[in-house]
Amino acid sequence: MREVPDSPLQGWKPPDYEVDGDGKVVGAGPGPEHNWSRFGALDQRGTFNLLTPERVAVAARLVRSGKRFSLALPIGTPTPGGYRAEPLHLYRFAAGDAVLGSGRGGRNPVSDDYIVMALQASTQLDGFAHVGEGPTLYNGYWAGLVTAAGGAQRLGIHHLATGIVGRAVLLDVARTHGVDHLAPGFAIGPDELDRTCEAQGVAIGPGDVLLVRTGHLGWQRSQAADERAARSHDHAGISTRAIPWLHEHDVAMVACDNAACSVVPPEPGDAFLTWHVAALRDLGLLVGELFDLDELADDCAQDGVFEAMFVAAPMPVVGGAGSPLNPIVIK
Amino acid sequence: MREVPDSPLQGWKPPDYEVDGDGKVVGAGPGPEHNWSRFGALDQRGTFNLLTPERVAVAARLVRSGKRFSLALPIGTPTPGGYRAEPLHLYRFAAGDAVLGSGRGGRNPVSDDYIVMALQASTQLDGFAHVGEGPTLYNGYWAGLVTAAGGAQRLGIHHLATGIVGRAVLLDVARTHGVDHLAPGFAIGPDELDRTCEAQGVAIGPGDVLLVRTGHLGWQRSQAADERAARSHDHAGISTRAIPWLHEHDVAMVACDNAACSVVPPEPGDAFLTWHVAALRDLGLLVGELFDLDELADDCAQDGVFEAMFVAAPMPVVGGAGSPLNPIVIK
Amino acid sequence: MREVPDSPLQGWKPPDYEVDGDGKVVGAGPGPEHNWSRFGALDQRGTFNLLTPERVAVAARLVRSGKRFSLALPIGTPTPGGYRAEPLHLYRFAAGDAVLGSGRGGRNPVSDDYIVMALQASTQLDGFAHVGEGPTLYNGYWAGLVTAAGGAQRLGIHHLATGIVGRAVLLDVARTHGVDHLAPGFAIGPDELDRTCEAQGVAIGPGDVLLVRTGHLGWQRSQAADERAARSHDHAGISTRAIPWLHEHDVAMVACDNAACSVVPPEPGDAFLTWHVAALRDLGLLVGELFDLDELADDCAQDGVFEAMFVAAPMPVVGGAGSPLNPIVIK
Amino acid sequence: MREVPDSPLQGWKPPDYEVDGDGKVVGAGPGPEHNWSRFGALDQRGTFNLLTPERVAVAARLVRSGKRFSLALPIGTPTPGGYRAEPLHLYRFAAGDAVLGSGRGGRNPVSDDYIVMALQASTQLDGFAHVGEGPTLYNGYWAGLVTAAGGAQRLGIHHLATGIVGRAVLLDVARTHGVDHLAPGFAIGPDELDRTCEAQGVAIGPGDVLLVRTGHLGWQRSQAADERAARSHDHAGISTRAIPWLHEHDVAMVACDNAACSVVPPEPGDAFLTWHVAALRDLGLLVGELFDLDELADDCAQDGVFEAMFVAAPMPVVGGAGSPLNPIVIK
């Protein structure tokens, strides 16, 4: 076998902090805009806490026609701009096997199937174990609490099992710009958000679920023949400049029709994960990625109603760092 | 290596039917209670069709307090009475790796995780490719349309992507019987369903989602120390005698807090899959399994309200035969 | 969710053959060059049978210096020209987790890892369930014996568990041509094989393991920066015209340093699988793919010895259609 | 969802050691019997180094009849006493699918299959990243070099890609004792090893591969009906007291027909991993587990020859902590 070079090493010195019995890094603090301790010193849910029963009840009252939309990408067709290996869907036994005399259900054709997938491979929710900075994750929990052996010992996605239920507001930035899709690299700052709210005549309030449409995902899916475009990671998305806006408006969640929610490549001065750190680690903000918003957006453009009930329940993987999501919007 | 005996073979003769260009077995028919062709000759959704916008809107109006319940089992703790291998949750990289100098996010601790799981391994929705009889699946589709290579070429779970949204009614059969849990093998027939409705003061109507509580799952989880009980497949469940009742009441879905929905072992005269054939193949009925109903049931017993809004969105696996489900009930 | 179009169907008529109790298609026959029934009516091993103890003993006597070579590609670096998803190597727990206080071995750092891989994803052995033609696989076994539910009920790779042990002969076609690597599409016919044997001064005999070097794999690995070349499926390889030669010389195995063993694209008149059908289905010939021959070839060129002992033991996956292989050559 | 209790935490203080640029823990030392630095300060192969070309050549000369034995368990039948989930073998497409008109190879039936398995789930080789003690693995490498993100950055199993080739000696301890299988918990110390050598008339030398038969695996496989016995982790095995003997005799490898190689439960005074630490971390000794030795043992008992050529090539998983193994013994 030809040589596989050893990865270079650089030595290691133990860090200079300690971790307390709650799993918090002693003395560590968040960035300027943050929700640390806001929902309790041991909170593991961040802005999920904003989804109070009262707001859920209000959201349910937004349902009028009962028309519903799935914002999920199908699992089994190529994921536009995805960062992970494609999910692998395999049959353990298939109904057709019975026709050939080797089925598993005696005279009955039966099927059972498996999935092997990155929990962040398709339409998904980031968990708070997904991205941190320095030694900390959201609310000051130590990054070292997340390991292969233990999973996310704190901040696991299963803490969000009761589902993200609330008022969704579609902000169709692309349509407001009069374009099919915003150009890759286009950064959506606070002005864009305000301008879209105004153009659509909607106001954003605490606990809202923002669905921010760039048009990118639909466009990228249509580029399948242009392999380079189909696989590019560049896309329009939320700017780090919008973080204070998201905090002030106290939204529960922000989701985009792109792979990273934030703009890629990042704006000058930002690193690739700057936005994620501000959103996940500091705000404890629910972040959705690869949301397919086109069908909903067409409907909203037609009836002029940009708010609806939103329900998205993650897979309650104990100690998980993310989850595929099939978000349902009900108008 | 010690010899692995070849599996016995019995020869094979080609079947005597043909399959038409729609994937239907020519001349095949359903059992006595059925919905074949009711929703269209090419329908792939069965009673999912009963979840009309009107009914969705009505269901949303059931929301009062906004309190919500997840009916899912956690993924990562042993599944009581499950038929499949336990899901395997593995980290591709973990935030803690960054503490050791080998993280994937540069100075940022980042985590990504994978799941390997039977789509029917935990709280789940049966797809219509899951069980058939003779050569047919629901609506007369050929069992041979489901293969390893093609997946479910018809009746794939992705056709249910917009989610099961409607009015849920909890039928707490165990509590009506004054017991913690019904004994394994206890069959819930039409009388039991009627009696529970009456005791609870609820009526069942078209498009409803029935959540039938046996108390089994909670009990079985508590038997972890008694390995035999914890792994047993026997449980109380729905009787085949209840099929006409389910059909008459035109429910959209039935789900139980056990592994098979139907009673196990089956009643005398029934084979193991008799109930599933009648429900899935003939009625095209949505079937839920391993629903954890205890917390909801306690709440319903307290406030006397047994109906609520129900939202459950399957993973849209193209050509899938089933899906894990995190069903959300909102009161 | 945007619509996923149903796959087109064409109807189905049952085939007009029957399968007997041995799993054989009644009345079916092989191509012109074949080994059906040669090793017994129920043989499942093909030319593996040529690896008799006598030949194994002779092969062992070829060992002189004791120098050994692994012909495997590393698992975990991109596979040049591979047809399957890359293997996924994931840690269930890692020794480093213990440093962070969450290891699985108490005070001991311990590691356990998983692999998810196509059995044909890297250096590999084709099983006889891998490719057939019409209704048959090797020795007349019915293709329908291989299903998701049953695996390969006959011809499973586990029948080759005692390993391919014999005399290896390197045929360095590229070097004989005076080139680094043969051009993609270059077809190695009987003349090329004879010419290489002559140039190297070797004779091929019954039960030999032929290692045919095109130079392609090493070249393709070096093209990592040229993504198109690195992913191309085209390569030099064995011609269908060489099948009678392989049969006459009664070799036990043929393996190449490319992804398909045969030339790709196939020669005019051949379909993509023509060569595989002739080799696997008709001859029951052991076929190796993605063998990395460069290091061995350099050594042989230096000492002028092109024969050696060969040992390659497949993973004994019961009912498997292929296996990763780490072939060892000992000189 | 019912509450999943958070795992208890205990706080964390950074360790008081440093790691140098070679990945070594500064100032750390091995146990009393060890091979650290013996094969070089940066050695990653331990006693694999003893398998010199000269010894390989000598081993090849042991081949007389050419009869060969696979010591592997089949993959796909339950693993006796295994510690990991059973391997999952799934077809991506199956030849039979072509009979139903949905195959992947056009008119040709083709099959492709996947494996999902713990690399230590069946007959296997421990890598040196598998078990350490305190902060160190073999040769003083830091445990923290093995993470989900990086794999085993040192000591990966791929460093053993050229295969374990040498002289195997079967030590049939059970037969020497006149029993079918040694009782679970029976510890094989230096006396037992000497006594078996003497009874068999063999001498152990540097670089030998010891195959130590307890009879346990064959017995445990036969207990399938007695589920408790079939799943028990207790078995006869090597004692920690034998470590100096193994070191003095300078063997390259020791393998047993049980799940842990060492005796389970461990002898008084030993912890569960004491033996593994001494073997893997200190000696850098190759350790094989779940070797099926019964067929070989019968043959050796018959002809009185207990030595043979041994060839076992791990899957070259880059950064792997272990590998399934199909060890071939050639007499």
Side-chain angles (χ1 to χ4, degrees):
Chain A
M1 196 179 78
R2 59 191 71 201
E3 199 65 23
V4 179
D6 284 331
S7 53
L9 300 176
Q10 302 185 302
W12 183 79
K13 290 189 184 176
D16 56 4
Y17 56 78
E18 299 196 358
V19 179
D20 67 25
D22 292 328
K24 303 293 198 75
V25 177
V26 177
E33 302 277 339
H34 75 92
N35 284 318
W36 288 23
S37 291
R38 173 180 172 193
F39 304 109
L42 299 183
D43 176 60
Q44 303 185 50
R45 289 177 187 151
T47 58
F48 187 87
N49 289 290
L50 299 174
L51 304 165
T52 59
E54 295 72 26
R55 288 188 179 126
V56 168
V58 168
R61 289 199 280 276
L62 296 175
V63 174
R64 269 157 263 191
S65 69
K67 187 169 178 185
R68 60 202 197 275
F69 302 84
S70 161
L71 308 184
L73 288 170
I75 296 176
T77 58
T79 307
Y83 289 89
R84 285 93 183 175
E86 294 291 340
L88 191 58
H89 177 218
L90 298 166
Y91 268 80
R92 176 72 194 85
F93 42 88
D97 301 342
V99 179
L100 303 174
S102 64
R104 281 295 172 90
R107 59 187 287 253
N108 291 102
V110 294
S111 307
D112 248 39
D113 42 356
Y114 274 75
I115 197 89
V116 179
M117 77 181 283
L119 291 169
Q120 299 90 348
S122 187
T123 303
Q124 60 122 338
L125 173 68
D126 281 352
F128 297 127
H130 184 44
V131 174
E133 187 169 73
T136 54
L137 302 169
Y138 167 66
N139 213 9
Y141 284 108
W142 182 38
L145 297 179
V146 189
T147 62
Q153 293 171 91
R154 291 297 181 274
L155 304 175
I157 199 95
H158 64 287
H159 289 291
L160 315 181
T162 50
I164 303 159
V165 184
R167 176 192 183 230
V169 178
L170 177 77
L171 293 182
D172 193 341
V173 183
R175 204 173 299 244
T176 302
H177 270 260
V179 297
D180 237 28
H181 71 282
L182 301 168
F186 183 96
I188 300 171
D191 292 354
E192 291 295 335
L193 294 171
D194 280 333
R195 185 178 150 196
T196 309
C197 285
E198 199 179 338
Q200 293 182 181
V202 292
I204 303 302
D208 280 354
V209 173
L210 294 202
L211 307 172
V212 181
R213 182 171 173 270
T214 67
H216 181 81
L217 191 147
W219 171 78
Q220 194 170 28
R221 274 170 70 104
S222 72
Q223 302 305 302
D226 179 349
E227 206 182 326
R228 201 160 167 179
R231 297 168 64 216
S232 168
H233 289 314
D234 290 358
H235 52 64
I238 313 287
S239 165
T240 307
R241 292 177 285 110
I243 290 289
W245 190 100
L246 295 167
H247 194 202
E248 277 159 36
H249 289 78
D250 215 14
V251 302
M253 181 172 188
V254 61
C256 273
D257 55 345
N258 62 27
C261 204
S262 59
V263 61
V264 176
E267 292 175 284
D270 278 0
F272 183 66
L273 290 174
T274 300
W275 188 89
H276 271 73
V277 169
L280 293 173
R281 191 197 67 154
D282 292 343
L283 292 184
L285 178 64
L286 301 172
V287 172
E289 290 162 352
L290 293 169
F291 277 45
D292 196 345
L293 301 173
D294 289 355
E295 188 193 359
L296 175 65
D298 285 348
D299 190 88
C300 294
Q302 246 175 350
D303 69 5
V305 179
F306 292 87
E307 61 176 4
M309 185 184 191
F310 179 89
V311 182
M315 285 175 68
V317 179
V318 177
S323 171
L325 215 57
N326 181 354
I328 305 296
V329 166
I330 314 172
K331 288 185 77 173
Chain B
M1 196 179 75
R2 56 191 73 198
E3 198 67 22
V4 179
D6 283 331
S7 52
L9 300 176
Q10 302 185 302
W12 183 79
K13 289 188 184 178
D16 57 3
Y17 57 78
E18 297 196 357
V19 179
D20 67 24
D22 291 330
K24 303 292 199 78
V25 177
V26 177
E33 302 276 341
H34 75 92
N35 284 318
W36 288 23
S37 292
R38 173 181 172 193
F39 304 107
L42 299 183
D43 176 59
Q44 303 185 52
R45 288 177 188 151
T47 58
F48 186 87
N49 289 288
L50 300 173
L51 304 165
T52 59
E54 294 73 25
R55 288 187 179 126
V56 168
V58 168
R61 287 198 282 275
L62 297 175
V63 174
R64 268 158 265 193
S65 68
K67 187 170 180 186
R68 59 202 199 275
F69 302 85
S70 162
L71 308 183
L73 289 170
I75 296 176
T77 58
T79 308
Y83 288 91
R84 285 91 183 177
E86 293 292 341
L88 190 58
H89 177 218
L90 299 165
Y91 268 79
R92 176 72 192 85
F93 42 89
D97 301 342
V99 180
L100 304 174
S102 64
R104 281 295 173 91
R107 60 188 285 254
N108 290 103
V110 294
S111 306
D112 247 39
D113 43 355
Y114 274 76
I115 197 90
V116 179
M117 77 181 284
L119 291 170
Q120 299 90 348
S122 187
T123 303
Q124 60 122 340
L125 172 68
D126 281 353
F128 297 128
H130 184 44
V131 174
E133 185 169 76
T136 55
L137 302 169
Y138 166 66
N139 214 9
Y141 283 108
W142 181 38
L145 297 180
V146 189
T147 63
Q153 293 171 91
R154 291 296 182 274
L155 304 174
I157 199 96
H158 63 288
H159 289 290
L160 314 180
T162 51
I164 303 159
V165 184
R167 176 192 183 230
V169 179
L170 176 78
L171 293 181
D172 193 340
V173 183
R175 202 172 300 243
T176 302
H177 269 260
V179 297
D180 236 29
H181 72 283
L182 301 168
F186 183 96
I188 300 171
D191 292 355
E192 291 295 335
L193 294 171
D194 279 333
R195 185 177 151 197
T196 310
C197 286
E198 201 177 338
Q200 294 183 181
V202 292
I204 304 303
D208 280 354
V209 173
L210 293 201
L211 307 174
V212 182
R213 182 171 173 271
T214 67
H216 181 81
L217 193 147
W219 172 78
Q220 195 169 28
R221 276 170 68 103
S222 71
Q223 302 304 302
D226 180 349
E227 207 182 326
R228 202 158 166 180
R231 296 167 67 216
S232 168
H233 289 314
D234 290 358
H235 53 64
I238 314 287
S239 165
T240 308
R241 292 176 285 110
I243 291 287
W245 191 99
L246 295 167
H247 194 200
E248 276 160 35
H249 288 77
D250 215 13
V251 301
M253 182 170 189
V254 61
C256 273
D257 55 345
N258 62 27
C261 204
S262 60
V263 59
V264 176
E267 292 175 285
D270 278 0
F272 182 66
L273 291 174
T274 301
W275 188 88
H276 271 74
V277 170
L280 293 174
R281 191 197 68 153
D282 292 344
L283 292 184
L285 178 65
L286 300 172
V287 172
E289 290 162 353
L290 292 169
F291 276 45
D292 195 344
L293 302 173
D294 289 356
E295 187 193 359
L296 175 65
D298 285 347
D299 189 89
C300 293
Q302 246 176 348
D303 69 5
V305 179
F306 293 87
E307 62 176 2
M309 186 185 190
F310 180 88
V311 182
M315 284 175 68
V317 179
V318 177
S323 171
L325 214 57
N326 181 354
I328 305 296
V329 166
I330 315 171
K331 290 185 76 172
Chain C
M1 196 178 77
R2 57 192 71 202
E3 199 64 24
V4 179
D6 284 332
S7 53
L9 301 175
Q10 303 185 301
W12 184 78
K13 291 187 183 177
D16 57 3
Y17 57 77
E18 297 195 359
V19 180
D20 67 24
D22 292 330
K24 303 292 198 78
V25 177
V26 177
E33 302 277 340
H34 75 92
N35 284 320
W36 288 23
S37 292
R38 174 181 172 192
F39 304 109
L42 300 183
D43 176 60
Q44 302 184 52
R45 288 177 188 152
T47 58
F48 187 87
N49 289 289
L50 299 174
L51 303 166
T52 59
E54 295 73 24
R55 288 187 180 128
V56 168
V58 168
R61 288 199 281 277
L62 296 175
V63 174
R64 268 157 264 192
S65 69
K67 186 169 180 186
R68 61 202 197 276
F69 303 85
S70 162
L71 309 183
L73 289 170
I75 295 176
T77 57
T79 308
Y83 288 90
R84 284 93 183 176
E86 293 292 338
L88 190 57
H89 176 218
L90 297 166
Y91 268 79
R92 175 73 193 84
F93 42 89
D97 301 343
V99 179
L100 302 174
S102 63
R104 281 295 173 90
R107 59 188 287 253
N108 291 102
V110 294
S111 307
D112 247 40
D113 43 355
Y114 274 76
I115 197 90
V116 178
M117 76 180 284
L119 291 169
Q120 299 90 349
S122 186
T123 303
Q124 61 124 335
L125 172 68
D126 281 352
F128 297 127
H130 183 44
V131 174
E133 187 169 72
T136 54
L137 302 168
Y138 166 66
N139 214 10
Y141 284 108
W142 182 39
L145 297 179
V146 189
T147 62
Q153 293 171 90
R154 291 296 182 275
L155 303 174
I157 199 96
H158 64 287
H159 289 291
L160 314 180
T162 51
I164 303 159
V165 185
R167 175 192 183 231
V169 178
L170 177 78
L171 293 182
D172 193 341
V173 183
R175 202 172 302 244
T176 303
H177 270 260
V179 297
D180 236 27
H181 71 283
L182 301 169
F186 183 95
I188 300 170
D191 291 356
E192 291 296 336
L193 293 171
D194 279 333
R195 185 178 151 196
T196 310
C197 285
E198 200 178 337
Q200 295 182 179
V202 293
I204 303 303
D208 280 354
V209 173
L210 293 202
L211 306 173
V212 181
R213 182 171 173 272
T214 67
H216 180 80
L217 192 148
W219 172 78
Q220 194 169 27
R221 275 171 69 104
S222 71
Q223 301 304 302
D226 179 349
E227 206 182 325
R228 201 160 167 178
R231 296 167 66 215
S232 168
H233 289 314
D234 290 359
H235 52 64
I238 314 286
S239 165
T240 307
R241 291 176 286 109
I243 291 288
W245 190 99
L246 295 167
H247 194 199
E248 276 159 35
H249 289 78
D250 216 14
V251 302
M253 182 170 188
V254 62
C256 273
D257 55 346
N258 62 27
C261 204
S262 59
V263 60
V264 176
E267 293 174 285
D270 279 359
F272 183 66
L273 290 173
T274 301
W275 188 89
H276 270 73
V277 170
L280 293 174
R281 191 198 68 155
D282 292 344
L283 292 184
L285 179 65
L286 300 171
V287 172
E289 291 162 352
L290 293 169
F291 277 46
D292 195 344
L293 302 172
D294 289 355
E295 187 193 0
L296 175 64
D298 286 347
D299 189 90
C300 293
Q302 245 175 351
D303 70 5
V305 178
F306 293 86
E307 61 176 3
M309 186 185 191
F310 180 89
V311 182
M315 284 175 67
V317 180
V318 177
S323 171
L325 215 56
N326 181 355
I328 305 296
V329 166
I330 315 171
K331 289 185 77 171
Chain D
M1 197 178 78
R2 59 191 71 201
E3 200 66 22
V4 179
D6 283 331
S7 53
L9 301 176
Q10 304 185 300
W12 183 79
K13 290 189 184 176
D16 57 3
Y17 56 78
E18 298 196 359
V19 180
D20 67 23
D22 292 329
K24 304 292 198 77
V25 177
V26 177
E33 302 277 338
H34 75 92
N35 284 317
W36 288 23
S37 292
R38 173 179 172 194
F39 303 108
L42 300 183
D43 176 60
Q44 303 185 51
R45 289 177 186 152
T47 58
F48 187 87
N49 289 290
L50 299 174
L51 304 166
T52 58
E54 296 71 26
R55 288 186 179 128
V56 168
V58 168
R61 287 198 282 277
L62 296 174
V63 174
R64 269 156 262 194
S65 68
K67 186 171 180 185
R68 61 201 197 275
F69 302 85
S70 161
L71 308 184
L73 289 170
I75 295 175
T77 58
T79 308
Y83 288 89
R84 284 92 182 178
E86 294 291 340
L88 190 58
H89 176 218
L90 298 165
Y91 268 80
R92 176 72 194 82
F93 42 89
D97 300 342
V99 180
L100 303 174
S102 64
R104 281 295 173 90
R107 59 188 287 254
N108 291 103
V110 294
S111 307
D112 247 38
D113 43 356
Y114 274 76
I115 197 90
V116 179
M117 77 181 283
L119 291 169
Q120 299 89 348
S122 187
T123 303
Q124 60 123 336
L125 173 68
D126 281 352
F128 297 127
H130 184 42
V131 175
E133 187 170 74
T136 54
L137 302 169
Y138 166 67
N139 213 10
Y141 284 108
W142 182 39
L145 296 179
V146 189
T147 62
Q153 293 172 90
R154 290 297 182 276
L155 304 174
I157 199 96
H158 65 286
H159 289 291
L160 314 180
T162 51
I164 303 159
V165 184
R167 177 193 183 228
V169 178
L170 177 77
L171 293 182
D172 194 342
V173 183
R175 202 173 301 245
T176 302
H177 270 259
V179 297
D180 237 28
H181 71 282
L182 301 168
F186 183 96
I188 300 170
D191 291 356
E192 291 295 335
L193 293 172
D194 280 333
R195 184 176 152 198
T196 310
C197 285
E198 199 178 338
Q200 294 183 181
V202 292
I204 303 303
D208 280 354
V209 173
L210 293 203
L211 307 173
V212 181
R213 182 172 173 271
T214 66
H216 180 81
L217 192 147
W219 171 80
Q220 195 170 29
R221 276 170 69 104
S222 72
Q223 301 305 302
D226 180 350
E227 206 181 324
R228 201 157 165 180
R231 297 167 65 215
S232 168
H233 289 314
D234 289 358
H235 52 64
I238 313 287
S239 164
T240 307
R241 293 177 285 110
I243 290 287
W245 191 100
L246 296 168
H247 193 200
E248 276 160 37
H249 289 77
D250 215 13
V251 302
M253 181 171 189
V254 62
C256 273
D257 55 346
N258 62 27
C261 205
S262 60
V263 61
V264 176
E267 292 175 284
D270 277 0
F272 183 66
L273 291 174
T274 301
W275 188 89
H276 270 72
V277 170
L280 293 174
R281 191 197 69 153
D282 292 344
L283 291 184
L285 179 64
L286 301 172
V287 172
E289 291 162 351
L290 292 169
F291 277 45
D292 195 345
L293 301 173
D294 289 356
E295 188 193 359
L296 175 65
D298 285 347
D299 190 89
C300 292
Q302 244 175 354
D303 69 5
V305 178
F306 293 87
E307 61 175 3
M309 186 185 190
F310 180 89
V311 182
M315 285 175 67
V317 179
V318 177
S323 171
L325 215 55
N326 181 353
I328 305 296
V329 166
I330 314 171
K331 288 185 78 172

